[in-house]
Amino acid sequence: MRAFVTSDRPIRSRSILAVLVLAGAVAAIAGGSANAGSQAANGRIAYVSDAACRFDPTLKNEDIFSMAPDGSGKADLTRSANPDSSPAWSADGTKLAFTRPGKADNDDVFVMSSNGKAQRNVTKTSPDDANPDWTPDGSKITYDVSGTTVFSANSDGTGIAPLIPGGYEASWSSTGKIAYTGTVEPSNAEIFVANADGSGAQSVTNAPGYDDDSAVWSPDGTKIAFVRFYGGAGEIFVMNADGSGQTNLTNNPANDADPTWSPDGSTIAFTTNRGPTGDNEIYLMNANGSNPVDLTNSPANESDPDWQPVTGTPPAVPGPDRFCKVPNLLGQKLRQARTKSRKSGCVSGTVKYARSKRPRGRVVRQTPRKGLRLCFGVRVNVVVSRGLH
């Protein structure tokens, strides 16, 4: 699935009335069969949202979230000061791969457990890495390098090697086939299908004049959902694995992208800018395109859904976010300021000294300013008076 960092600009593939009302809508999507058991069997949906708590009060922060298939139980998994994108569940639903800027500020592939713990960088390379996906046995991760080649690596980051030159956005089927996007001359993008080693590649969309990308397999490996662009707007299509039977599912003026199948194959979640202000939301529809419903329904931008392939009760998710409410430290002694900062959920950051009319050893300036609700553990930096000499 194409990396997509949430923003206020239109989607381009690489975003109660009452609880009973929403639950009823989701039940309608599944033809009236949605219930607590089927929700659990379909696992959680991972996605990107800029509704995360902020480390910097001036910047929105994109984190990987997860939610139940009815849109409830939203949880921030990554809680990072860096922008995260492109979540991809392992086949057993216990791990997530995703992308985040590494130490060199280029995007790397990271892996974490299903509850956001044990986050680690597995690629650590200088080019930009994007669009990770897992092999069916969970032993390897594939990803794009600079948008020009699909690479493969062991899940611990060893054994990095090129797999599909000229390809990107690789997606694995349960049967071991690979679907990916490749460029066909003169310049349009098509969906290809290849064997697990990259051999036997064949174009299956064959639609000159249109760009096709973001291919994703149905759970049984018989169908592929993908995005076709008409001008700047995307529509979600579905086709048989050999490219036959191409059908437009969304057929909407909105920009639709990032399809992902439910594990039982009955529904598809996707990104769309159908929000009331043009913001990006995660929607859910039947696998035939009927009964679309807004799952996220928030003023934030959400994108990049990926469905956890769990056939039982999903793992527990993190608890609610904790916040640092920045205290007023002005005029306090440094030790008192540090104690007050710690008790508020913030931590003491950089301490600088400057000449001031204030008494020696007192805080004369602080950043961030008092009263802001930021991420738990945000550092509060202070300037302390040296007095006048």
Side-chain angles (χ1 to χ4, degrees):
M1 182 172 301
R2 182 182 291 274
F4 180 85
V5 177
T6 52
S7 72
D8 289 325
R9 63 177 181 267
I11 302 170
R12 177 63 169 96
S13 64
R14 107 99 235 41
S15 149
I16 4 205
L17 285 176
V19 173
L20 291 176
V21 173
L22 183 55
V26 174
I29 288 177
S33 63
N35 54 41
S38 65
Q39 297 291 352
N42 274 329
R44 294 178 66 81
I45 300 173
Y47 62 101
V48 178
S49 174
D50 65 7
C53 65
R54 299 189 184 190
F55 290 87
D56 182 336
T58 65
L59 298 175
K60 289 186 176 182
N61 183 40
E62 294 92 4
D63 277 353
I64 306 298
F65 282 65
S66 72
M67 62 180 171
D70 62 358
S72 65
K74 297 179 178 68
D76 188 345
L77 300 181
T78 49
R79 304 183 184 187
S80 169
N82 291 313
D84 300 323
S85 60
S86 299
W89 290 102
S90 60
D92 62 5
T94 64
K95 295 182 177 63
L96 272 164
F98 63 100
T99 59
R100 170 187 292 169
K103 291 184 178 180
D105 285 336
N106 57 281
D107 286 341
D108 285 338
V109 175
F110 284 67
V111 170
M112 63 181 171
S113 62
S114 60
N115 62 2
K117 304 296 184 183
Q119 298 176 23
R120 56 188 175 86
N121 188 333
V122 297
T123 53
K124 300 178 182 178
T125 54
S126 55
D128 281 323
D129 303 326
N131 304 317
D133 198 23
W134 299 75
T135 56
D137 64 2
S139 65
K140 294 181 180 292
I141 298 172
T142 53
Y143 57 96
D144 305 349
V145 175
S146 298
T148 59
T149 302
V150 176
F151 270 65
S152 171
N154 296 326
S155 59
D156 62 0
T158 61
I160 294 176
L163 180 63
I164 303 175
Y168 55 98
E169 292 186 321
S171 171
W172 287 84
S173 76
S174 58
T175 60
K177 290 281 191 176
I178 310 173
Y180 65 93
T181 306
T183 301
V184 177
E185 295 301 332
S187 61
N188 67 294
E190 302 280 7
I191 305 300
F192 286 74
V193 171
N195 298 318
D197 61 0
S199 65
Q202 292 185 333
S203 173
V204 292
T205 45
N206 298 314
Y210 299 105
D211 284 330
D212 299 327
D213 61 19
S214 301
V216 60
W217 294 88
S218 63
D220 62 5
T222 63
K223 296 182 181 297
I224 299 173
F226 65 99
V227 178
R228 174 165 293 166
F229 286 90
Y230 293 88
E235 299 278 10
I236 294 174
F237 277 66
V238 69
M239 63 181 170
N240 296 320
D242 62 1
S244 63
Q246 296 180 23
T247 304
N248 188 340
L249 298 183
T250 47
N251 196 24
N252 189 285
N255 196 4
D256 302 320
D258 306 329
T260 180
W261 298 78
S262 62
D264 63 10
S266 66
T267 54
I268 295 174
F270 62 100
T271 304
T272 181
N273 61 353
R274 301 182 197 183
T277 60
D279 60 305
N280 302 325
E281 304 277 358
I282 306 299
Y283 268 56
L284 189 68
M285 63 181 171
N286 284 337
N288 64 4
S290 63
N291 296 325
V293 65
D294 189 348
L295 288 184
T296 46
N297 194 24
S298 80
N301 285 286
E302 293 95 5
S303 67
D304 274 3
D306 194 59
W307 215 313
Q308 184 184 30
V310 171
T311 55
T313 302
V317 298
D321 287 323
R322 294 184 294 169
F323 289 91
C324 147
K325 184 175 181 181
V326 180
N328 182 13
L329 305 180
L330 296 179
Q332 298 192 20
K333 292 182 178 180
L334 180 57
R335 179 178 293 181
Q336 294 172 329
R338 283 173 164 164
T339 299
K340 190 172 184 179
S341 180
R342 184 176 64 254
K343 288 183 177 179
S344 69
C346 310
V347 294
S348 178
T350 304
V351 178
K352 296 182 179 180
Y353 295 87
R355 294 185 64 187
S356 171
K357 293 181 180 180
R358 294 286 184 96
R360 181 181 177 87
R362 302 276 180 167
V363 175
V364 295
R365 289 197 300 276
Q366 69 174 86
T367 54
R369 69 180 187 274
K370 66 177 182 178
L372 293 177
R373 281 172 56 84
L374 301 173
C375 298
F376 187 83
V378 165
R379 294 182 179 276
V380 180
N381 305 312
V382 297
V383 177
V384 177
S385 171
R386 288 193 181 276
L388 296 176
H389 301 285

